[in-house]
Amino acid sequence: MAKPMILVADDDADVRQALSLLLRDAGCEVATAASPAEALASLRQRRPELVLLDLNYRRDTTSGDEGLALLKQIRAQDGELPVVVLTGWGTVQLAVQAMQLGAQDFLEKPWENARVRSLVNIHLALADTRNRMRRFEEAAQSGETQDDEPVFHARGMREALDVARRVAASDVPVLLTGESGTGKTLIARWIHRHSPRREGTFVSVNLGGLAETLFESELFGHVKGAFTDARSDRIGRIERARGGTLFLDEIANITPSQQARLLHVLEEGMFERVGETQTRSTDARIVAATNADITQLIREGRFREDLLFRLNAVEIALPPLRARRDDIALLARHFLARFAPPDTAPLALSAGAD
């Protein structure tokens, strides 16, 4: 895999050297520029994945005017290139100006190395997700998508996927809502594939289909002898999802006692296998889904409001197909291509159907 390239534009040679060493150590390729002119020349030669841009240069070391002017020029040439501005003379007002001109973030000097690495990772992940999203949308419009990619054109799905794209790079819990068949599992998998946890495991559990007696064993695991049929140790879904994503489908169907047990794990980040006293930590991103009106269930006393608070840091509502009329022909072409017998001529919709 090619290393992401980052452009560091700063008039201070020590700053350029320090950031170059830090970023190369983090697995990035680095280009440097000592002036706005050099920065623009570098951008013309090769588009980086991220720019770290000083706001003050030798001609004016306090106002940030040179850096803001350079930011305007970068935005005029490339409206999507991620830019993080940095300055030793940072003020809230200057940060606001930079953000208004299109900067994604703001970093003051002297910096903490962990903060730099975190910002770089976040914005590289977001940029990668934007690029993937663009490719998927272009493929969807032409009907050329992978089997597990969302197929859409309708505005409602575009808005839902835009939210999914923005939250994928973070670890915040996501609640997917919508009627049965709207693609909640598909979107959950999409979020996982476009998150920093993409190399981890996507673990799905249908909570609506779990018996009360199996709930803890399925989620938390058990040790040999914990109950009659526990003939060996077994890890649960939460443990299997360590480093990845845990998809809790039909979350609204669990009982009050199951809600309490799940809430405890989400609040504490800890759990025990059934029959065991050793406490284990969790490390899974939570995505939940339901086709129920959870707000109504809360009013009826059938779902815990504090559990909902833990699940829906971001809620994504998926529209039903009847609200996506523009997608019907697109989906039909997609499934014709997907399920066509091998080694046959491509199938197509009739003129009247299309």
Side-chain angles (χ1 to χ4, degrees):
M1 180 181 294
K3 294 181 179 179
M5 202 270 270
I6 298 177
L7 172 62
V8 177
D10 196 296
D11 62 335
D12 189 328
D14 291 337
V15 170
R16 295 196 302 274
Q17 183 179 21
L19 285 173
S20 295
L21 290 172
L22 175 62
L23 295 170
R24 289 189 179 112
D25 186 61
C28 300
E29 184 179 344
V30 182
T32 62
S35 69
E38 287 185 22
L40 291 172
S42 178
L43 289 170
R44 284 193 290 269
Q45 291 177 1
R46 178 181 171 185
R47 185 187 190 274
E49 276 69 44
L50 176 67
V51 177
L52 297 183
L53 179 66
D54 186 28
L55 288 182
N56 294 302
Y57 293 83
R58 298 196 183 280
R59 196 176 70 195
D60 180 352
T61 61
T62 60
S63 71
D65 288 346
E66 283 187 274
L68 293 175
L70 176 56
L71 178 58
K72 290 180 183 177
Q73 290 179 281
I74 292 174
R75 277 289 161 261
Q77 297 176 15
D78 190 332
E80 296 185 356
L81 177 61
V83 178
V84 174
V85 295
L86 54 148
T87 178
W89 302 87
T91 65
V92 173
Q93 292 79 7
L94 195 56
V96 170
Q97 280 185 271
M99 300 296 186
Q100 290 174 338
L101 291 174
Q104 273 72 28
D105 226 316
F106 187 83
L107 180 68
E108 287 188 334
K109 296 183 285 187
W111 61 79
E112 295 182 359
N113 286 348
R115 167 72 171 158
V116 175
R117 284 191 289 265
S118 176
L119 280 178
V120 167
N121 289 337
I122 288 171
H123 291 294
L124 288 178
L126 286 172
D128 180 64
T129 300
R130 281 193 294 269
N131 291 335
R132 290 171 182 265
M133 180 74 172
R134 186 185 307 108
R135 291 197 296 270
F136 295 153
E137 289 181 340
E138 292 170 353
Q141 290 176 19
S142 65
E144 300 172 355
T145 66
Q146 299 178 18
D147 289 349
D148 56 355
E149 292 300 333
V151 177
F152 65 93
H153 181 71
R155 179 178 177 180
M157 279 299 291
R158 286 179 177 274
E159 292 173 349
L161 263 291
D162 183 58
V163 177
R165 172 183 59 78
R166 286 185 277 119
V167 303
S170 71
D171 254 359
V172 298
V174 177
L175 178 65
L176 303 173
T177 61
E179 299 176 8
S180 297
T182 52
K184 296 185 289 295
T185 300
L186 187 69
I187 300 303
R189 291 183 179 277
W190 192 95
I191 290 172
H192 171 73
R193 286 197 310 275
H194 298 84
S195 75
R197 293 175 176 267
R198 63 177 70 90
E199 300 301 324
T201 305
F202 178 89
V203 177
S204 176
V205 54
N206 185 340
L207 297 177
L210 285 184
E212 180 79 19
T213 54
L214 295 178
F215 179 82
E216 288 197 34
S217 177
E218 280 293 319
L219 279 188
F220 311 140
H222 62 252
V223 295
K224 182 179 180 179
F227 48 87
T228 302
D229 293 327
R231 298 184 176 88
S232 62
D233 290 356
R234 181 180 185 276
I235 67 171
R237 305 296 181 96
I238 288 179
E239 204 167 345
R240 283 175 53 198
R242 185 173 185 82
T245 301
L246 179 64
F247 178 48
L248 303 174
D249 199 8
E250 297 190 28
I251 187 68
N253 292 356
I254 60 177
T255 66
S257 62
Q258 292 170 342
Q259 292 175 36
R261 280 173 277 182
L262 180 58
L263 175 62
H264 174 75
V265 174
L266 296 181
E267 286 182 333
E268 302 298 328
M270 310 291 287
F271 69 98
E272 296 87 30
R273 293 180 183 175
V274 178
E276 181 183 65
T277 58
Q278 178 185 352
T279 299
R280 302 170 184 267
S281 62
T282 64
D283 178 25
R285 199 256 183 89
I286 302 296
V287 179
T290 182
N291 60 7
D293 184 346
I294 288 193
T295 302
Q296 179 62 30
L297 295 180
I298 290 174
R299 285 195 293 264
E300 296 171 358
R302 295 163 55 193
F303 198 88
R304 298 180 64 123
E305 188 171 10
D306 49 359
L307 177 56
L308 178 62
F309 176 77
R310 291 286 175 180
L311 294 171
N312 75 335
V314 176
E315 180 176 341
I316 302 177
L318 301 181
L321 186 58
R322 63 178 177 275
R324 299 170 51 191
R325 295 181 64 86
D326 291 347
D327 287 344
I328 294 175
L330 188 64
L331 286 163
R333 287 195 296 271
H334 167 73
F335 289 119
L336 277 175
R338 178 176 176 179
F339 295 113
D343 303 322
T344 61
L347 301 177
L349 297 177
S350 66
D354 201 8

